[in-house]
């Protein structure tokens, strides 16, 4: 259907549907396509039709000796077995042979006429011996042609007319009384008329279905093309907008650390906050777009609850401290686990914490879990200003923003809507409990997973591995230089290059404790380069950075490797490097 559909336009199909097809004809292009597709289905239909026809003729051949005079029975059996059945079996065999659809359709129609004429021949043999054989066999052939065989209306009508005309000619040749000929002709023509009407209605419906099916196919193709274009636009927008934001973010971090005059520091701080806010808006817009375009596919697994709560806290700890908010995780059973996509669950918790940081005016935000039999409830509780009951039913709606929010830079009202969608993708539920002046508790429930083994406590260092040698591979010169300044300010020894070829050359000369690599390098994919360096034992761990948010942010402890999205937030990069340091080498 695909190639055929592409041969016509939706406008031509729509025009044909409006014009109708009472004459059972389309425009030349559509007619050719319709005939090709109908003929392609005839071979499959012909197989059961041929078998049933042969069986009927064999049954009649078996009954002939009991119903007809001996000589006449011998002749009719020969006609059925030597003339009719071989042609029908030939059509059955051709249905499996590599015959063109058009040629097979002609053989199929010819077999129908041949079968009808063989019945006429049997009637002629009976008239020759003055035996009153009825014309019931012709009626059966007419019904076969019109309904069982599925012949096109014109083919069935012409073939049936030829069979009926031959029968009337035989009756006239053997001097059958005119009243009998007229009576028989009346019944046959009446049956033929009924068959023609049924055949016409059947083909009309088939042609209407043909138009609808192809219009639906074209609509599906257009929808898929539009969806692919939107997906491409979202990916390109994500990459092309995040790349310059990454450069601005890094430059601002360096500028913030510089010894600026007192009157310029607030301007830099305000600019940094604006860039961070813009990045949050951009991320929310791209996330809701990916959800609406079905670009997100959850990968459900058992996720340890304590681990994911601690990771969510760590990700926003720096932002909380900057706002003077205490962010903590309530002690919970370390063996609890939920069925969820770990990356989507992390994003849900980040959204809930971020919402509390932005809107609650809280001093303390606590993360925790209430264990259940079939579901566990994860919650984010704040001691902020709460909200009226009238808002609680709308807070998860897309683009809903609280009118009383005192934010200098209000959001788009997408964070909680994204939480709702992502939670639903993981077969979870969401909600909020709040009272004005007494804070809010946002919660999600997820299916419980079998308990996991508690991880033994290991010493954790919160200090950067100062003095470590880092290999920085980034093709954007400004971003590379800005990130190098940040890393050197943190106490690292940094060797930076612009592509994978130069990175390999350096790796042959010396080893590195860490590597920070752009995922999309001009000469090699960053993940492939990291795997090469890791297998050669020249790097101990690393961070892949990318503006492609289609790749999920995650940490692979086995490879001691982070994947982080641009723009790089220095505080999160710092936390990632500390996490790598605290991961035992594999």
């Amino acid at each position: 259907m695909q190639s055929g559909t592409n041969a016509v336009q939706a406008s031509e199909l729509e025009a044909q549907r409006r014009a109708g097809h009472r004459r059972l004809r389309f425009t030349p292009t559509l007619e050719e396509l319709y005939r090709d597709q109908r003929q392609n289905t005839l071979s499959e239909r012909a197989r059961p039709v041929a078998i049933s026809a042969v069986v009927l003729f064999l049954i009649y051949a078996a009954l002939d000796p009991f119903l007809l005079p001996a000589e006449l029975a011998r002749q009719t059996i020969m006609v059925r077995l030597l003339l009719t059945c071989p042609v029908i079996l030939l059509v059955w065999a051709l249905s499996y042979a590599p015959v063109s659809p058009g040629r097979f359709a002609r053989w199929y129609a010819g077999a129908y006429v041949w079968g009808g004429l063989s019945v006429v021949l049997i009637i002629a043999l009976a008239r020759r011996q003055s035996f009153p054989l009825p014309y019931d066999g012709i009626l059966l052939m007419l019904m076969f042609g019109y309904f069982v065989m599925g012949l096109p209306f014109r083919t069935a009508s012409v073939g049936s007319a030829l069979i009926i005309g031959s029968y009337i000619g035989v009756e006239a040749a053997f001097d059958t009384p005119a009243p009998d000929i007229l009576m028989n002709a009346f019944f046959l023509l009446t049956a033929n008329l009924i068959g023609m009407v049924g055949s016409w209605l059947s083909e009309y419906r088939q042609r209407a279905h043909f138009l609808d099916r192809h219009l639906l196919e074209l609509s599906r193709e257009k929808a898929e093309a539009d969806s692919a274009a939107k997906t491409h636009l979202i990916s390109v927008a994500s990459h092309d907008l995040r790349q310059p934001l990454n450069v601005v973010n890094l430059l601002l971090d360096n500028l913030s650390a510089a010894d600026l005059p007192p009157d310029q520091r607030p301007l830099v701080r305000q600019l940094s906050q604006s860039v961070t806010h813009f990045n949050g808006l951009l991320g929310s817009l791209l996330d809701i777009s990916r959800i609406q375009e079905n670009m997100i596919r959850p990968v459900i697994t058992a996720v340890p609850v304590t681990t994911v709560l601690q990771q969510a806290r760590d990700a926003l700890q720096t932002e909380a401290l900057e706002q003077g908010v205490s962010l903590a995780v309530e002690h919970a059973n370390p063996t609890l686990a939920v069925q969820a996509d770990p990356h989507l669950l992390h994003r849900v918790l980040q959204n809930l914490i971020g919402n509390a940081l932005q809107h609650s005016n809280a001093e303390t935000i606590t993360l925790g879990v209430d264990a259940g039999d079939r579901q566990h409830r994860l919650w984010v509780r704040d001691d902020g200003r709460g909200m009226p009951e009238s808002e609680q039913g709308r807070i998860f709606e897309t683009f809903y923003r609280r009118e009383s929010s005192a934010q200098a830079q209000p959001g788009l009202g997408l964070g909680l809507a994204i939480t709702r969608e992502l939670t639903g993708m993981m077969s979870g539920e969401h909600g909020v409990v709040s009272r004005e002046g007494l804070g809010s508790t946002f919660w999600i429930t997820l299916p419980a997973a079998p308990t996991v083994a508690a991880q033994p406590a290991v010493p954790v260092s919160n200090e950067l591995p100062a003095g470590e040698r880092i290999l920085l591979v980034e093709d954007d010169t400004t971003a590379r230089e800005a990130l190098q300044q940040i890393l050197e300010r943190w106490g690292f020894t940094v060797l930076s290059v612009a592509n994978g070829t130069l990175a390999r050359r350096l790796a042959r000369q010396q080893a590195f404790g860490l590597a920070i690599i752009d995922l999309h390098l001009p000469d090699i994919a960053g993940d492939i380069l990291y795997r090469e360096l890791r297998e050669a034992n020249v790097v101990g761990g690393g961070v892949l950075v990318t503006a492609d948010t289609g790749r999920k942010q995650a940490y692979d402890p086995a490879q001691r490797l982070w994947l982080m999205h641009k723009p790089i937030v220095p505080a999160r990069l710092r936390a990632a490097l500390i996490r790598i340091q605290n991961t035992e080498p594999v």
Side-chain angles (χ1 to χ4, degrees):
M1 180 185 294
Q2 186 73 13
S3 60
T5 303
N6 291 336
V8 296
Q9 300 295 324
S11 58
E12 186 176 358
L13 290 164
E14 286 285 5
Q16 182 65 73
R17 186 163 64 175
R18 288 194 301 269
H21 47 275
R22 294 181 179 178
R23 297 185 178 182
L24 302 183
R25 279 288 186 272
F26 292 146
T27 60
T29 302
L30 289 178
E31 186 66 25
E32 182 180 0
L33 180 60
Y34 171 78
R35 288 183 178 180
D36 287 344
Q37 294 190 7
R38 178 160 186 166
Q39 289 171 357
N40 283 330
T41 64
L42 280 182
S43 58
E44 295 182 2
R45 184 168 188 149
R47 293 161 190 168
V49 169
I51 294 300
S52 60
V54 168
V55 169
L56 282 175
F57 274 99
L58 291 177
I59 291 173
Y60 276 112
L63 293 176
D64 282 351
F66 302 99
L67 302 176
L68 303 177
E71 178 62 22
L72 178 59
R74 185 181 65 80
Q75 295 174 355
T76 58
I77 290 173
M78 291 181 62
V79 170
R80 299 185 198 278
L81 298 183
L82 299 182
L83 294 180
T84 310
C85 287
V87 173
I88 297 174
L89 291 173
L90 175 62
V91 170
W92 175 81
L94 289 175
S95 70
Y96 291 96
V99 181
S100 67
R103 179 173 296 180
F104 179 81
R106 291 190 290 273
W107 273 99
Y108 189 59
Y112 165 63
V113 175
W114 182 265
L117 293 179
S118 68
V119 174
V120 173
L121 176 58
I122 290 173
I123 293 174
L125 293 173
R127 296 291 183 270
R128 183 180 180 184
Q129 298 186 29
S130 301
F131 185 84
L133 191 67
Y135 55 82
D136 294 357
I138 296 179
L139 287 174
L140 181 62
M141 290 303 302
L142 293 179
M143 296 305 102
F144 244 81
Y146 280 121
F147 301 112
V148 179
M149 297 182 68
L151 292 170
F153 168 74
R154 287 179 173 79
T155 301
S157 299
V158 172
S160 298
L162 180 60
I163 294 170
I164 294 173
S166 300
Y167 165 74
I168 294 174
V170 165
E171 295 286 22
F174 285 96
D175 297 326
T176 302
D180 291 343
I181 295 178
L182 291 175
M183 182 64 69
N184 293 345
F186 173 77
F187 282 109
L188 286 175
L189 291 174
T190 301
N192 186 61
L193 181 61
I194 294 173
M196 289 176 66
V197 172
S199 179
W200 186 92
L201 290 173
S202 176
E203 184 171 341
Y204 188 89
R205 287 195 301 269
Q206 289 176 358
R207 287 176 176 268
H209 179 63
F210 166 85
L211 294 175
D212 292 341
R213 187 174 71 252
H214 281 275
L215 280 169
L216 182 62
E217 178 69 14
L218 286 173
S219 297
R220 184 189 65 79
E221 291 174 359
K222 185 178 184 302
E224 289 180 351
D226 290 344
S227 178
K230 291 179 183 177
T231 300
H232 179 68
L233 176 61
I234 292 170
S235 299
V236 170
S238 176
H239 183 275
D240 290 355
L241 290 174
R242 286 177 181 272
Q243 189 69 20
L245 271 177
N246 182 56
V247 174
V248 172
N249 218 43
L250 296 175
L251 290 174
L252 279 173
D253 188 81
N254 284 322
L255 192 58
S256 300
D259 187 14
L260 296 173
D263 61 328
Q264 294 182 8
R265 292 172 189 169
L267 296 176
V268 173
R269 184 166 54 253
Q270 184 177 0
L271 181 58
S272 180
Q273 290 173 352
S274 297
V275 170
T276 301
H277 178 68
F278 177 74
N279 180 51
L281 296 180
L282 174 64
S284 295
L285 282 172
L286 293 173
D287 281 346
I288 201 71
S289 298
R290 282 194 294 269
I291 290 171
Q292 292 175 346
E293 292 302 317
N294 296 318
M295 295 171 63
I296 297 178
R297 295 288 187 272
V299 179
I300 304 300
T301 185
V303 181
V305 174
T306 301
T307 300
V308 76
L309 291 177
Q310 291 173 345
Q311 289 176 348
R313 176 202 60 192
D314 294 344
L316 293 174
Q317 185 73 271
T318 302
E319 185 176 340
L321 292 175
E322 289 176 352
Q323 297 184 27
V325 178
S326 172
L327 183 58
V329 175
E330 187 177 272
H331 178 72
N333 184 345
T335 66
L336 289 180
V338 291
Q339 293 285 357
D341 182 308
H343 310 297
L344 299 187
L345 179 55
H346 182 76
R347 181 58 195 268
V348 166
L349 293 172
Q350 275 192 309
N351 283 358
L352 294 179
I353 298 170
N355 177 71
L357 287 172
Q358 294 173 19
H359 300 285
S360 69
N361 296 333
E363 295 180 357
T364 301
I365 298 174
T366 307
L367 285 66
V369 58
D370 295 331
D373 294 332
R374 296 185 177 182
Q375 291 182 322
H376 299 322
R377 174 175 289 197
L378 286 69
W379 47 261
V380 176
R381 180 176 299 145
D382 66 72
D383 60 357
R385 59 194 179 93
M387 70 182 75
E389 187 174 349
S390 60
E391 287 191 2
Q392 296 177 29
R394 301 187 58 195
I395 198 70
F396 288 94
E397 293 179 4
T398 305
F399 298 117
Y400 178 77
R401 296 187 294 181
R402 298 184 64 184
E403 294 181 1
S404 60
S405 176
Q407 278 188 284
Q409 296 176 321
L412 295 173
L414 290 175
L416 294 179
I418 292 171
T419 293
R420 178 196 67 203
E421 295 293 339
L422 296 183
T423 303
M425 289 181 184
M426 297 183 288
S427 302
E429 298 177 351
H430 65 280
V432 61
V433 178
S434 181
R435 290 182 63 186
E436 286 190 272
L438 297 178
S440 304
T441 300
F442 285 84
W443 56 265
I444 61 170
T445 59
L446 292 169
T451 56
V452 297
Q455 297 296 320
V458 296
V460 175
S461 171
N462 291 319
E463 298 296 327
L464 282 171
E468 192 86 78
R469 183 184 288 112
I470 287 184
L471 173 61
L472 174 59
V473 190
E474 166 65 68
D475 60 322
D476 187 293
T477 303
T478 307
R480 184 175 67 251
E481 292 175 351
L483 183 54
Q484 181 171 350
Q485 291 179 30
I486 294 172
L487 294 170
E488 289 176 345
R489 192 170 72 242
W490 290 347
F492 291 104
T493 299
V494 183
L495 279 76
S496 62
V497 293
N499 55 57
T501 301
L502 295 176
R504 289 180 176 127
R505 189 177 301 168
L506 278 178
R508 287 194 292 267
Q509 301 170 3
Q510 55 190 304
F512 297 87
L514 297 166
I516 300 177
I517 305 173
D518 191 335
L519 185 62
H520 299 286
L521 295 172
D523 56 347
I524 187 175
D527 51 353
I528 296 177
L529 175 61
Y530 178 80
R531 187 163 59 247
E532 289 181 4
L533 300 178
R534 179 80 171 155
E535 291 173 353
N537 294 319
V538 294
V539 296
V543 178
L544 293 176
V545 294
T546 178
D548 179 9
T549 54
R551 299 285 295 265
K552 294 180 179 178
Q553 295 190 97
Y555 179 59
D556 182 356
Q559 294 294 319
R560 303 184 79 200
L561 177 66
W562 276 98
L563 189 144
M564 300 183 66
H565 290 163
K566 295 179 181 180
I568 298 172
V569 178
R572 294 182 184 177
L573 176 61
R574 184 186 184 98
L577 297 177
I578 293 174
R579 173 74 180 277
I580 295 172
Q581 176 188 231
N582 291 322
T583 303
E584 292 293 328
V586 178

